Amino acid sequence: MSQSTIDLIRAASRLLVRELGFMGGAFAGTDLPPSAVHALIEIDASDGISARDLGGRLRLEKSSVSRMLRKLVVSGDLIEEPGEEDARTKTLTLSATGRKRVAEIHAFARAQVAGALEQLPSERHRTVLDGLRLYAEALAGRLEASSAAPQTEIVAGYRPGLVARVTEMHALYYAREAGFGQRFETVVAGGLAAFCDRLDAPVNGIWAALCDERIVGSVAIDGEDLGAGISHLRWFIVDDEMRGTGVGRRLLEAALAFSDAQRFTESHLWTFAGLHAARHLYEKNGFVLAEERLGSQWGKEVLEQRFVRRRA
């Protein structure tokens, strides 16, 4: 590699650091230093982590981690509890205040990214994602390990077989988890097919997760059916084999980035009680439970829930 290429990458890295606010001033819309913001995000993502493991993940020395965590406990963002196996080890979790702060951090960051991507043609968005991911993994020395795992790609737009495959994933999952049957499958297939006929509208979008060209997840934003200023998050599903791999998070991030770029003031989604992992993911991304009601539109009575996310 030429010296000029290396120097250009270094210059771009410095510009990125400055524009993201690492050099001082407000960071991620908070009054916290970058290390504290990163700590809150990691604690939220880990759903309980020790101070030692957090320090290793953030590459901070023990004394720096201790001072930072003490300030976050005093501010009410963090809760320290004795570890289950060793009381001397403290388990870190977010308080209600901390969860609210992390939701605000995510909202700020998504708007920041969406604003930058708005200045690029949509076909360049994937280039940005792939480039950043490859560079970060190369810096961490993880390219060889990551390349051994199945590579999953998030792609936008309709592709052959999408309606059938997304319907199949919904039918199989919800038959097992909720006992839904033919009525549910028919509603999913019909609604999704009709939506795909409206994908030419700029406020509508659909994304698929592909692993070896096979669809293993999906999500859509319907910008027309709930009225002006409201986007409807629909057909969010991940195949069983991909659960826990981060595919669901990446799909949701793609959909919400699109929603923010389209300047929707709110995003709504309907689900039902009992899907705890999905609810946790929704709430981590700024959704709040707004309504509950009994419904039987899927062929079986369940407690339906409407979640709302308001754009910051």
Side-chain angles (χ1 to χ4, degrees):
M1 180 180 294
S2 69
Q3 188 66 41
S4 62
T5 299
I6 292 173
D7 288 342
L8 287 171
I9 291 175
R10 292 182 59 222
S13 298
R14 292 195 300 273
L15 177 60
L16 187 64
V17 166
R18 291 197 298 271
E19 292 300 322
L20 289 176
F22 282 93
M23 301 305 294
F27 182 75
T30 74
D31 57 355
L32 299 174
S35 58
V37 171
H38 281 252
L40 290 173
I41 292 173
E42 290 295 336
I43 293 167
D44 180 50
S46 301
D47 199 22
I49 187 173
S50 69
R52 183 181 62 184
D53 290 343
L54 179 66
R57 190 171 297 183
L58 298 180
R59 300 187 181 183
L60 294 174
E61 61 179 15
K62 183 178 178 180
S63 59
S64 298
V65 173
S66 296
R67 288 194 299 271
M68 174 183 64
L69 294 179
R70 180 51 47 196
K71 291 179 181 178
L72 291 174
V73 170
V74 171
S75 68
D77 292 296
L78 207 56
I79 299 172
E80 283 186 325
E81 296 177 317
E84 294 182 0
E85 298 181 359
D86 185 350
R88 294 171 299 178
T89 300
K90 301 298 183 181
T91 299
L92 307 170
T93 56
L94 296 181
S95 65
T97 300
R99 290 194 298 271
K100 181 176 182 293
R101 192 195 284 266
V102 169
E104 292 170 348
I105 290 169
H106 285 312
F108 179 92
R110 289 193 186 98
Q112 193 176 33
V113 172
L117 292 179
E118 282 180 359
Q119 301 181 58
L120 298 172
S122 59
E123 61 268 19
R124 302 297 297 275
H125 294 179
R126 183 71 200 187
T127 302
V128 174
L129 172 60
D130 289 341
L132 283 172
R133 184 178 292 157
L134 283 170
Y135 186 42
E137 289 179 351
L139 283 173
R142 291 199 300 261
L143 272 182
E144 184 176 348
S146 65
S147 64
Q151 296 298 302
T152 307
E153 181 182 12
I154 308 300
V155 298
Y158 172 81
R159 55 193 303 108
L162 180 115
V163 173
R165 177 66 179 132
V166 172
T167 299
E168 177 190 33
M169 287 189 291
H170 276 81
L172 293 176
Y173 178 78
Y174 286 100
R176 183 181 71 243
E177 297 295 324
F180 291 168
Q182 177 267 322
R183 170 63 181 165
F184 173 75
E185 185 172 347
T186 299
V187 171
V188 171
L192 181 55
F195 172 75
C196 287
D197 283 337
R198 298 190 279 115
L199 282 174
D200 57 342
V203 293
N204 297 331
I206 192 165
W207 296 262
L210 301 182
C211 183
D212 294 329
E213 295 301 313
R214 180 171 175 264
I215 297 174
V216 294
S218 70
V219 69
I221 289 290
D222 189 334
E224 296 179 304
D225 69 333
L226 294 183
I230 301 177
S231 67
H232 187 184
L233 191 138
R234 310 179 72 181
W235 299 295
F236 182 36
I237 189 76
V238 175
D239 198 35
D240 289 343
E241 66 189 63
M242 304 304 297
R243 297 186 188 280
T245 65
V247 169
R249 172 184 54 79
R250 290 168 57 197
L251 283 165
L252 191 58
E253 288 174 353
L256 294 178
F258 172 85
S259 182
D260 289 343
Q262 292 292 327
R263 302 298 185 187
F264 287 108
T265 56
E266 295 182 359
S267 297
H268 293 202
L269 66 87
W270 281 95
T271 183
F272 57 89
L275 303 178
H276 302 297
R279 175 170 181 169
H280 180 64
L281 183 58
Y282 297 144
E283 290 178 334
K284 282 179 62 176
N285 283 274
F287 283 93
V288 176
L289 179 63
E291 179 184 357
E292 288 185 313
R293 68 188 186 197
L294 290 174
S296 56
Q297 61 172 315
W298 311 118
K300 177 183 176 182
E301 188 172 77
V302 293
L303 182 61
E304 297 179 345
Q305 298 175 321
R306 181 170 61 91
F307 285 79
V308 175
R309 170 185 177 268
R310 293 177 173 84
R311 182 165 61 88

